[in-house]
C-alpha cells in the first residue's frame, strides 16, 4: 500500500445527549405499559361479561324456581260466634285455572302470611284495649298444620288528635 492513506480513528467519542441515552428505555416502558393496559382491559371486559351472565342466569333461575303466587283478599268477621271468627278458603273458584287446590301450597317451601286489620277507632274499640289475633293453616282434611297468635292494640290517639283528624277527613 503505497497510495493508501490510512484513516485514523478518533479516540474522542461525541457524548450522547440525555434524550438519545434514555429513548430506548422510555420506549420499552411505554411498550410494557401499553401491554399491561391491554391485558387489564381484557380482564375487565371478561369479568364484566361473566358478571352480567351470572346475574342473568340467577334471574332466570329465580323466576323459574321461586313461586310468586300472591293472595290478597278481604277478611270479613263473623260476630255471631264468640270470639268473632274470619276465614279464607284458598281453594275458592276465583283463582286462575292454573292454580289447582292441590298445588297452591307446595310442601317443603316456606310461606309468609300477613294479616292487615283496619279497625274503626270507635270508643267501643278503644275501650276493648288489647286483643288477640290467631291464624290457623288447616289441611284439606281440616286439621291444623300451623297456629300463630299475636296480641294487637289500636294506636293511641289523644282526644284532640281524634277531633282534628275527624274534622280534617270529614271535609
Amino acid at each position: 500500500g503505497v497510495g493508501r492513506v490510512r484513516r485514523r480513528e478518533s479516540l474522542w467519542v461525541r457524548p450522547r445527549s440525555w434524550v438519545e441515552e434514555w429513548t430506548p428505555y422510555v420506549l420499552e416502558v411505554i411498550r410494557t405499559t401499553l401491554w399491561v393496559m391491554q391485558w387489564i382491559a381484557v380482564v375487565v371486559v371478561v369479568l364484566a361479561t361473566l358478571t352480567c351472565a351470572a346475574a342473568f342466569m340467577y334471574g332466570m333461575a329465580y323466576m323459574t324456581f321461586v313461586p310468586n303466587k300472591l293472595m290478597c283478599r278481604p277478611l270479613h268477621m263473623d260476630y255471631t260466634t264468640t270470639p268473632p271468627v274470619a276465614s279464607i278458603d284458598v281453594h275458592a273458584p276465583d283463582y286462575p285455572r292454573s292454580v289447582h287446590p292441590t298445588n297452591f301450597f307446595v310442601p317443603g317451601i316456606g310461606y309468609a302470611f300477613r294479616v292487615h286489620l283496619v279497625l274503626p277507632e270507635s270508643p267501643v274499640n278503644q275501650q276493648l284495649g288489647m286483643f288477640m289475633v290467631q291464624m290457623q293453616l288447616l289441611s284439606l282434611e281440616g286439621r291444623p298444620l300451623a297456629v300463630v297468635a299475636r296480641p294487637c292494640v289500636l294506636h293511641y290517639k289523644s282526644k284532640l288528635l281524634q277531633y282534628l283528624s275527624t274534622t280534617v277527613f270529614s271535609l
Side-chain angles (χ1 to χ4, degrees):
V2 179
R4 269 188 180 183
V5 176
R6 242 178 152 195
R7 189 182 248 192
R8 238 176 121 183
E9 293 289 325
S10 167
L11 294 178
W12 183 79
V13 178
R14 179 179 68 90
R16 294 171 34 178
S17 70
W18 67 271
V19 173
E20 291 173 340
E21 189 174 328
W22 287 98
T23 299
Y25 301 115
V26 170
L27 290 176
E28 186 62 29
V29 167
I30 290 173
R31 268 191 228 106
T32 305
T33 303
L34 289 176
W35 182 81
V36 168
M37 288 174 54
Q38 182 181 16
W39 276 105
I40 288 174
V42 167
V43 167
V44 166
V45 167
V46 167
L47 288 177
T49 304
L50 287 175
T51 302
C52 290
F56 175 75
M57 290 179 2
Y58 174 79
M60 293 303 295
Y62 185 86
M63 292 181 69
T64 302
F65 296 114
V66 176
N68 59 353
K69 297 173 185 170
L70 175 69
M71 179 177 60
C72 184
R73 303 184 78 192
L75 271 174
H76 297 289
M77 302 298 288
D78 179 13
Y79 291 99
T80 60
T81 63
T82 303
V85 177
S87 65
I88 295 176
D89 184 11
V90 295
H91 310 299
D94 60 340
Y95 287 100
R97 298 214 182 266
S98 64
V99 180
H100 191 267
T102 58
N103 67 4
F104 191 83
F105 293 111
V106 179
I109 295 180
Y111 292 93
F113 295 93
R114 182 173 49 175
V115 176
H116 179 79
L117 293 176
V118 179
L119 301 172
E121 296 177 357
S122 65
V124 173
N125 285 341
Q126 295 264 339
Q127 289 170 357
L128 286 176
M130 187 174 283
F131 58 96
M132 291 293 286
V133 173
Q134 180 179 3
M135 182 172 24
Q136 292 182 347
L137 180 63
L138 302 175
S139 68
L140 291 174
E141 296 82 32
R143 59 186 165 81
L145 298 174
V147 179
V148 177
R150 299 283 188 268
C152 298
V153 67
L154 289 177
H155 290 289
Y156 174 76
K157 283 188 178 179
S158 67
K159 296 287 184 192
L160 178 62
L161 190 57
Q162 287 177 358
Y163 176 74
L164 289 175
S165 65
T166 304
T167 306
V168 168
F169 287 120
S170 67
L171 298 177

